Amino acid sequence: MKYRKLGNTQMKISPLSFGASSLGGVFHSLREEEGIEAVHAAVDNGINFIDVSPYYGHLKAECVLGKALKEIDRDLYYLSTKVGRYGKDGVNLWDYSAKRSIESVYESMERLNVDYIDLINIHDIEFADLDKICEETLPALVDLKNKGIVKHVGITNLTLRHFVYVIDNVPPGTVDSILSFCHYTLNDDSLADYLDYFESNSVGVINASPFSMGLLTERGAPDWHPAPDQLKKLAAKAANHCKNKGESIEKLAIQYSVSNERIATTLFSTTRASSVLKNLKWASEPINEELLKEVMDILKPRFRDTWLNS
């Protein structure tokens, strides 16, 4: 596996990485043992970047991941988690204050059974006052970086222009990386428009959700999916087209998302070791260019459609 450097950091990470949101039962119920096995399968097969958040499953994902990490050498993976977005008793909560962010880092380390975090992200800044992110949250995390508690600082977000606002309004080098989701997929490649900007600011790029939160799957988008109905119909048509050709839209989606070497890594999430191995196999195979063109033609009428976060 050829590893890619994340921005100006010294982190060289696998093009396909493990997103631990599924360990929180975000998408469907899980058996902890299965989830732990999936984490081990990822690391055993060369994946060296793992991303999680206290928000996923309202602490559950971090707790399950922490059990898995107990049995893995710390030198074998880079660990990313987040601050700012939380939940309790089924209710979503947001708190981007410096005090809560610092507390959250230490709480996450305890749940994850580690004594430092490789990358701490501010979670979903579209829900926050961006000036507060610049003036309070980021300085608090940079202070933890200076103390060695965290190694690098990043931001995650659905609305791409928000990345630019934050990076432009903090000292150079404050933001080491960004995590964007659903914006480098078969139906939306708008992240590509920002790669020059990120590179000029030495900011690494992490892509997430190659299946566009279930949109680009044979099973189709879940009921809660915020995509417009017209896009859901086209995605279903594209999935059926792949199936009729004896191919899988999931395979094509993975291959497309990892194909751009300017993007350090693409995160996928699963609770099954078999899915980890399958995704890694797909990522290592050459993309079917003819099928890619056909699928892109199907999706073209709603290409780059976006939606609000929820």
Side-chain angles (χ1 to χ4, degrees):
M1 187 182 297
K2 184 179 178 182
Y3 293 81
R4 300 173 182 173
K5 194 163 179 262
L6 181 64
N8 211 31
T9 76
Q10 297 307 306
M11 296 166 62
K12 291 185 177 179
I13 60 181
S14 45
L16 199 61
S17 293
F18 190 86
S21 55
S22 288
L23 300 185
V26 173
F27 305 110
H28 49 74
S29 61
L30 79 150
R31 290 194 305 109
E32 282 192 10
E33 297 80 5
E34 264 191 342
I36 290 169
E37 184 183 347
V39 176
H40 290 174
V43 177
D44 289 346
N45 287 277
I47 288 177
N48 71 341
F49 185 79
I50 302 171
D51 176 77
V52 70
S53 167
Y55 171 66
Y56 301 146
H58 295 178
L59 306 184
K60 183 175 181 179
E62 283 193 333
C63 291
V64 175
L65 179 58
K67 292 176 183 178
L69 295 180
K70 273 184 178 180
E71 304 166 11
I72 301 174
D73 189 324
R74 186 66 177 89
D75 293 335
L76 293 178
Y77 63 89
Y78 295 111
L79 181 61
S80 163
T81 191
K82 307 180 182 75
V83 302
R85 191 171 188 185
Y86 311 99
K88 185 177 181 182
D89 300 326
V91 177
N92 294 336
L93 306 168
W94 293 265
D95 188 342
Y96 296 92
S97 67
K99 180 177 182 295
R100 182 69 191 105
S101 296
I102 292 169
E103 291 172 349
S104 182
V105 170
Y106 286 100
E107 291 167 3
S108 288
M109 288 195 299
E110 186 172 349
R111 285 188 290 271
L112 292 163
N113 295 301
V114 296
D115 56 10
Y116 68 91
I117 301 292
D118 295 286
L119 174 62
I120 191 69
N121 292 286
I122 304 175
H123 199 172
D124 289 349
I125 61 171
E126 66 266 29
F127 290 104
D129 177 337
L130 297 184
D131 290 324
K132 182 171 185 172
I133 297 296
C134 297
E135 297 164 9
E136 182 175 345
T137 325
L138 278 169
L141 297 181
V142 168
D143 186 51
L144 290 181
K145 178 180 176 180
N146 292 336
K147 293 175 179 176
I149 304 301
V150 304
K151 303 298 183 182
H152 305 287
V153 176
I155 49 180
T156 87
N157 175 39
L158 179 65
T159 309
L160 289 166
R161 67 181 184 276
H162 290 167
F163 289 127
V164 176
Y165 183 89
V166 171
I167 293 167
D168 281 351
N169 283 280
V170 295
T174 298
V175 176
D176 294 307
S177 66
I178 64 96
L179 191 161
S180 167
F181 60 101
C182 298
H183 283 313
Y184 200 82
T185 65
L186 292 171
N187 61 286
D188 186 347
D189 70 348
S190 50
L191 177 61
D193 292 350
Y194 292 78
L195 295 180
D196 286 346
Y197 171 81
F198 293 136
E199 288 173 2
S200 70
N201 285 276
S202 300
V203 173
V205 178
I206 299 167
N207 177 43
S209 198
F211 306 130
S212 206
M213 301 194 301
L215 189 69
L216 301 170
T217 62
E218 286 187 9
R219 183 169 54 186
D223 291 340
W224 51 261
H225 201 290
D229 287 341
Q230 299 94 325
L231 177 55
K232 290 180 182 178
K233 290 175 182 176
L234 288 179
K237 182 179 178 181
N240 285 331
H241 178 77
C242 291
K243 189 175 182 179
N244 291 337
K245 292 267 185 156
E247 294 279 3
S248 158
I249 195 168
E250 290 94 337
K251 176 180 178 179
L252 193 68
I254 285 283
Q255 292 176 327
Y256 180 78
S257 288
V258 302
S259 65
N260 192 326
E261 295 192 3
R262 298 174 74 189
I263 296 171
T265 193
T266 291
L267 291 161
F268 72 95
S269 190
T270 184
T271 59
R272 297 187 300 275
S274 59
S275 291
V276 172
L277 299 178
K278 182 168 60 177
N279 288 341
L280 283 168
K281 182 176 183 294
W282 286 342
S284 69
E285 296 173 353
I287 197 165
N288 183 331
E289 296 288 352
E290 181 181 351
L291 182 64
L292 175 63
K293 183 181 183 305
E294 291 166 354
V295 166
M296 298 293 260
D297 285 344
I298 292 170
L299 296 170
K300 187 175 181 180
R302 307 299 297 191
F303 192 63
R304 289 197 174 190
D305 266 10
T306 191
W307 50 79
L308 297 176
N309 206 341
S310 58

